[in-house]
Amino acid sequence: KVAEGPVKVGYLQQDSGSPVAAALSAEIRKLADESIAAGDVSELLVETPGGAGGEVTAADQVRAFEQLVRKGADVIIAQPLSGEALVGAVNSAGEKGIPTVTFTGYVASPYALNISPNGFDAVAQHVARGAKMIGGKGKVLLVQGIEGMTVNTTSIETAEQVLGYCDGIEIVGKPAGNFNDPGAKTAVMSFLSSYPADIDMVYQVASMGAGEI
C-alpha cells in the first residue's frame, strides 16, 4: 500500500539522448509539478542509470533503482532496460511497501504494475508494409535501440518473425544506435564500412530515423 498523504515519487528514467526519452522525462516532470501543486505528491526523485547521455547497463539500472528506495520513495515509476534484471530489486522494494509502475518494459513481479502497448501489432504492421513495398525480397537492415531493453527486444523479435515469412528477404545486420540519431549514424556507418552491397530496406526500433539517412 502506498503511503497516505502526499507521496514521494521516484522516477527511474532512461536517458539515451533520444527525443522520445526527453519527451517522456518532460511529461513525467510536468505531471509531478501538477501533483505537487495539488498536494498529492511531496517530491519527485529522479535517477538516471549510468549518468546522463552514456551507455546504460542492467546493473546500472538496478543500482539507480535501489538508490531511489534509499532516498525514501513511496512509489517508483520505471522505464526498464531489462525487466528480468529488475525483478529482485522490485520485489525487495515491494516487501517494504514500495510499489513499482513500469512503462516501455515489463517486470515479472507481484509488486509491479506494468503499463505497455501492444508492441507486436505496431511493429508487425510497419515491417509488413515495408516488406510489401520492396516486393517481398531484398536485403534488410534492422537498427536496434539499446540491446537488452524490453521494448527493443520485442521490436526486433517481431520484425524478424514477420520478415521470416518472406523467403526472398535476408536480414543482413542488426547494429545498435542507442535510441539517438548520433548513435544510429555511427552504428550504421560502421556496419556499412564492412558491408559494401546494396540494402533495400531499413527498420529502426524508434527515434533514430534521421541518424540512418
Side-chain angles (χ1 to χ4, degrees):
K1 181 182 178 182
V2 178
E4 301 254 341
V7 296
K8 191 178 291 186
V9 177
Y11 175 40
L12 179 68
Q13 69 176 1
Q14 294 295 348
D15 184 357
S16 65
S18 76
V20 173
L24 289 172
S25 180
E27 185 65 18
I28 290 289
R29 292 171 189 273
K30 173 178 170 291
L31 293 172
D33 287 342
E34 293 174 356
S35 297
I36 289 171
D40 298 322
V41 171
S42 62
E43 183 181 359
L44 176 66
L45 306 170
V46 180
E47 286 289 328
T48 303
E55 277 195 34
V56 181
T57 68
D60 291 331
Q61 179 184 241
V62 172
R63 282 191 290 270
F65 184 94
E66 292 173 341
Q67 181 68 3
L68 289 171
V69 174
R70 285 192 291 271
K71 287 183 175 180
D74 297 306
V75 58
I76 296 175
I77 301 171
Q79 294 173 257
L81 168 62
S82 169
E84 184 176 350
L86 263 187
V87 170
V90 170
N91 284 341
S92 178
E95 289 166 0
K96 297 173 183 175
I98 307 167
T100 298
V101 179
T102 77
F103 62 101
T104 69
Y106 180 85
V107 178
S109 166
Y111 302 106
L113 172 62
N114 300 288
I115 302 171
S116 179
N118 186 331
F120 179 90
D121 185 60
V123 174
Q125 289 193 44
H126 283 91
V127 173
R129 183 177 180 184
K132 185 176 181 180
M133 290 173 68
I134 63 173
K137 58 184 179 181
K139 311 291 186 181
V140 176
L141 181 67
L142 305 181
V143 181
Q144 305 188 70
I146 298 175
E147 291 187 75
M149 190 172 185
T150 306
V151 65
N152 180 80
T153 301
T154 300
S155 297
I156 293 299
E157 288 180 350
T158 299
E160 290 175 327
Q161 182 176 338
V162 171
L163 296 175
Y165 289 106
C166 303
D167 293 336
I169 285 182
E170 178 188 358
I171 298 172
V172 297
K174 295 183 288 184
N178 204 37
F179 284 122
N180 63 71
D181 289 329
K185 181 177 180 179
T186 298
V188 171
M189 288 183 67
S190 176
F191 172 80
L192 293 177
S193 68
S194 59
Y195 185 81
D198 291 338
I199 292 177
D200 303 288
M201 170 182 156
V202 178
Y203 165 74
Q204 57 95 13
V205 174
S207 68
M208 301 175 290
E212 300 162 9
I213 298 174

